[in-house]
Amino acid sequence: MITWRDLQNFKAEPYQGAADGWGEVSNRAKAAKDRVEQEMLAKLRDTQTGTTAKEALAALNQLSRNFQYVHAECGLIRAALNSFASGIAAPQRKLKHALEEADQLGFTVKPDGSVQYPAPAPLAPEQGPALFLPNNTQGTANSRAPALFLPNNTQGTANSGAPALFLPDKTQGIATANPNKVKAEDIAHRIASAVREAAEVDARYQSILGKLKTSRSLKVDDTTWADAAQDLKSVRKAAGEFIKEGDIPKGKSPVDNKKWWENLTQEQRDEYAALYPAHIGALDGLPTTTRDDANRVVLAETHGTAQLQLKDWLNKEPDRYLPYISQFTGREIEGARVENPEWRRWNEKKEDLEGRLDGMSKIQSRCNDSSINGSPPAYLLGFDNQNLGHAIVSIGNPDTADNVATYVPGTGAKLSSIKADLDRADMLYDTAKTADSQRKTASVLWLGYDAPQDVLTDASHAKYADAAGAPLRDFLTGIDTAHGGNVNSTLLGHSYGTLVAGTAMRAHPDLPVDNAIFVGSPGVGVDHAKDLNIPADHVWSATAKNDPINLAPPLVGELPILDNTKLFDDHSVLYGCDPTTDDFGGKTFAVADGDPPKWNGDMPAHSQYWEGKSLRHMTGVVTRGHP
């Protein structure tokens, strides 16, 4: 039980020192994780094969997960301890003010928190007749005792919440009271309130810190990360009053975000990142390494939570088939079965959860697949599992790169199918490194929007591109802001992604983009390259001969024209003028014809731009401004 003397003697320094210690453990765990991934794992993967090597890789991957978990949880402990110290400070100040006032008035605060007060000084003759109170006028105000009404004296114990005690003086005809009693009751009440607040803070953080523990045989898995997500919510709820979510910039420019971050102390940065990793990871303008660290925690916790959701969902599988009831007789037909609609809905959700988990696993694998001799490091600049799921992954650090290429995928892109788009970002990086080994290139996959999923329906609406314009603008501006130098920026769009890129460039004249590349485009939302707010000769386009996008019809209102004269009109496609034509006014580069469409509906030519001369030409634009 906390007493007012405990609160009076409370020292924040030991808790703040402990918080610093846990922060150091957190930072060391992060450094250990990076070393395991970038040196031990990478070198082993590059040089060893066989069963033993595979087992060693699995053990090192587990070690990396353990260190990441320690990094995240120790960060929460640091934030909780600092917040506890801050939480006790407020009631301690309240107590201090109450004790100071008691001392100034000559009152005595007893060990139980009650306040003893003296009799009032008699009135001077010129102030009126003296008030004579029989017996004794001194007393004790106690915040917990019931009120005592004393008709003839003021001696006793009074509750601080009771009204002032008025003693009628029948001879003088005026109501009188000892004013010290009222003051003492107020002081006693404030002392009790301060102790009560401190006790509540102590109990809350004792419960939270009691949960932030693990066994010696730590083996982090999805269940552990799901539990970590709950720990984060608990600490955030308790500490949110002191490390406020509302202080994180929202809707501000990347420049404002950067200024806010730079004005924080390192301790404040660590605490914001520990408590609000999703917010910090999404904040354009912050350093790449800061966002990557925060987003990896978000990814791990989201993956763990989703894995438990899938496990729970699998246990709810309904019967796939139901007896067939004849619509004519109303009776069951023996041996006949129909598929259960409830099972179909269950299976759709199951496949969605499995697909998202697979996408998250691919991102985790690529982020961990960094090598000092092989694969370049990957940085997670954005991640969430909302709607179709979103991820922004940079191959190479854009903050230190000379060239940054940002690739926007098109129709069908989503978290569950992200592997192919990650591979494209890797291929562009590898080709750029070969083409220009003297300058650094970062290759970014920007899946920061909900792409249309159906070619014949969704892709005929520009609303997806319109919604993506502002997030893409903020991201590109954020990269430029965090870089702080003269970075050569190329925006690369594929398929519907070309419309996203074109829409952002058209709507935001100050977009920090030096070059644009459009491949397999249904139109970029403008009729001329000059409308993209960069020099027309910095706009490059290509479409393979066998790419079915060549048949994309123009729109009238929101509906495509399907008559034959428009289907094969070179200059008019779904969203404006075909960017590969002379009328558009930009530049073009050569690509292979691509494989023709297949009988099963596959359109390989639409996805073969990251091969051969097409890839080399795109890399040329990224690294030197032309194919």
Side-chain angles (χ1 to χ4, degrees):
M1 177 180 177
I2 295 178
T3 68
W4 68 266
R5 288 201 179 275
D6 294 331
L7 181 56
Q8 181 186 35
N9 297 327
F10 174 81
K11 303 295 183 185
E13 290 77 10
Y15 295 92
Q16 293 167 338
D20 291 341
W22 284 104
E24 181 63 23
V25 174
S26 176
N27 292 335
R28 290 190 179 188
K30 170 65 166 56
K33 169 186 171 293
D34 291 343
R35 185 180 178 191
V36 169
E37 291 178 1
Q38 297 173 16
E39 297 181 26
M40 301 168 69
L41 263 171
K43 186 157 288 189
L44 182 63
R45 190 183 296 111
D46 290 344
T47 60
Q48 304 296 317
T49 58
T51 303
T52 302
K54 186 178 294 186
E55 292 175 353
L57 286 171
L60 287 173
N61 270 313
Q62 183 61 59
L63 182 61
S64 174
R65 286 167 65 90
N66 290 358
F67 278 133
Q68 185 181 26
Y69 174 75
V70 171
H71 165 58
E73 292 290 278
C74 289
L76 291 180
I77 295 175
R78 172 190 52 211
L81 287 171
N82 278 331
S83 299
F84 169 71
S86 298
I88 294 293
Q92 188 181 47
R93 285 192 298 271
K94 182 185 290 188
L95 173 68
K96 179 183 177 183
H97 294 156
L99 294 176
E100 287 175 349
E101 186 175 343
D103 184 62
Q104 291 169 2
L105 294 171
F107 295 177
T108 301
V109 180
K110 294 185 175 183
D112 65 354
S114 60
V115 179
Q116 187 174 12
Y117 55 91
L123 293 173
E126 64 272 15
Q127 294 177 297
L131 177 63
F132 297 98
L133 301 176
N135 298 325
N136 194 350
T137 59
Q138 70 177 10
T140 302
N142 189 308
S143 66
R144 293 181 297 276
L148 268 182
F149 296 94
L150 308 175
N152 297 317
N153 61 65
T154 60
Q155 181 177 348
T157 302
N159 190 306
S160 66
L165 180 60
F166 290 94
L167 306 177
D169 187 330
K170 298 180 180 178
T171 60
Q172 299 295 331
I174 56 174
T176 62
N178 184 345
N180 286 338
K181 181 179 185 298
V182 178
K183 295 175 182 177
E185 285 178 338
D186 177 62
I187 292 172
H189 174 76
R190 284 151 55 195
I191 290 173
S193 176
V195 172
R196 204 161 40 242
E197 288 178 22
E200 290 171 357
V201 171
D202 180 69
R204 184 163 66 248
Y205 280 94
Q206 187 177 50
S207 173
I208 291 170
L209 289 168
K211 296 176 182 177
L212 297 175
K213 60 183 179 181
T214 188
S215 62
R216 288 182 177 273
S217 56
L218 174 66
K219 185 177 180 180
V220 176
D221 54 17
D222 286 315
T223 301
T224 311
W225 275 116
D227 183 66
Q230 295 303 313
D231 291 340
L232 174 60
K233 292 179 181 178
S234 297
V235 177
R236 183 188 295 163
K237 182 178 180 180
E241 181 180 350
F242 309 103
I243 308 170
K244 297 180 180 179
E245 178 181 355
D247 290 340
I248 301 174
K250 184 176 182 181
K252 300 290 186 180
S253 71
V255 172
D256 290 334
N257 296 342
K258 181 180 180 181
K259 288 179 180 177
W260 173 78
W261 186 253
E262 290 178 342
N263 285 333
L264 299 176
T265 65
Q266 186 57 51
E267 182 179 2
Q268 288 173 322
R269 294 175 187 175
D270 291 342
E271 290 181 345
Y272 275 111
L275 283 184
Y276 306 104
H279 292 68
I280 299 304
L283 214 53
D284 294 307
L286 268 57
T288 287
T289 52
T290 297
R291 298 178 67 178
D292 174 63
D293 185 29
N295 283 317
R296 289 203 195 196
V297 172
V298 176
L299 174 60
E301 292 180 349
T302 305
H303 187 280
T305 301
Q307 187 67 61
L308 293 188
Q309 288 175 341
L310 175 60
K311 182 179 179 181
D312 179 64
W313 191 247
L314 291 175
N315 292 329
K316 298 178 180 179
E317 181 178 5
D319 292 334
R320 182 169 184 177
Y321 296 102
L322 299 175
Y324 178 72
I325 307 298
S326 172
Q327 59 180 327
F328 300 108
T329 65
R331 296 181 179 181
E332 178 182 336
I333 298 180
E334 186 176 353
R337 294 288 185 269
V338 292
E339 192 170 70
N340 184 355
E342 184 180 346
W343 182 89
R344 286 198 296 270
R345 290 189 291 270
W346 173 88
N347 191 54
E348 287 175 1
K349 183 172 180 178
K350 177 184 78 76
E351 291 179 346
D352 178 64
L353 285 170
E354 289 174 337
R356 289 171 186 267
L357 281 165
D358 182 64
M360 292 182 218
S361 296
K362 295 296 191 298
I363 296 171
Q364 284 180 323
S365 176
R366 181 58 189 88
C367 286
N368 294 340
D369 188 20
S370 300
S371 171
I372 55 176
N373 297 317
S375 301
Y379 299 88
L380 188 57
L381 299 180
F383 174 80
D384 68 65
N385 194 27
Q386 303 300 313
N387 300 325
L388 296 173
H390 311 109
I392 305 171
V393 183
S394 178
I395 311 302
N397 189 339
D399 292 357
T400 58
D402 301 294
N403 309 303
V404 176
T406 302
Y407 158 53
V408 183
T411 302
K414 56 183 176 180
L415 180 60
S416 60
S417 60
I418 200 170
K419 177 63 166 60
D421 291 319
L422 280 173
D423 289 343
R424 290 173 179 177
D426 262 317
M427 287 186 282
L428 183 63
Y429 176 93
D430 292 339
T431 309
K433 185 177 181 181
T434 301
D436 187 357
S437 60
Q438 301 303 312
R439 304 176 72 208
K440 296 179 181 179
T441 296
S443 177
V444 181
L445 161 63
W446 189 82
L447 182 53
Y449 81 114
D450 289 317
Q453 296 300 297
D454 187 270
V455 174
L456 298 179
T457 55
D458 296 346
S460 63
H461 295 281
K463 62 182 180 181
Y464 303 95
D466 293 337
L472 180 57
R473 171 204 62 196
D474 291 342
F475 173 76
L476 293 170
T477 305
I479 290 297
D480 188 68
T481 300
H483 189 282
N486 185 25
V487 60
N488 175 47
S489 174
T490 300
L491 185 54
L492 165 60
H494 170 240
S495 186
Y496 191 91
T498 65
L499 178 63
V500 174
T503 298
M505 294 178 70
R506 179 199 69 212
H508 306 289
D510 296 329
L511 202 65
V513 170
D514 299 289
N515 313 290
I517 302 174
F518 304 127
V519 290
S521 177
V524 300
V526 298
D527 289 326
H528 200 282
K530 63 180 176 58
D531 297 328
L532 296 174
N533 296 303
I534 63 173
D537 59 356
H538 284 234
V539 179
W540 297 85
S541 303
T543 299
K545 179 180 178 181
N546 289 322
D547 188 341
I549 203 71
N550 287 302
L551 302 179
L555 290 175
V556 171
E558 293 188 354
L559 299 174
I561 298 175
L562 296 178
D563 64 274
N564 291 337
T565 61
K566 292 294 184 182
L567 270 175
F568 301 98
D569 179 0
D570 254 355
H571 304 280
S572 183
V573 287
L574 199 60
Y575 295 106
C577 182
D578 186 341
T580 64
T581 62
D582 292 340
D583 286 354
F584 187 74
K587 295 284 188 177
T588 61
F589 57 91
V591 297
D593 290 348
D595 297 334
K598 297 183 178 181
W599 62 269
N600 62 358
D602 286 348
M603 302 177 289
H606 191 57
S607 302
Q608 291 177 328
Y609 296 99
W610 280 261
E611 299 175 6
K613 61 182 178 181
S614 173
L615 178 58
R616 292 194 300 272
H617 289 164
M618 289 193 296
T619 301
V621 174
V622 169
T623 57
R624 61 178 181 266
H626 60 83

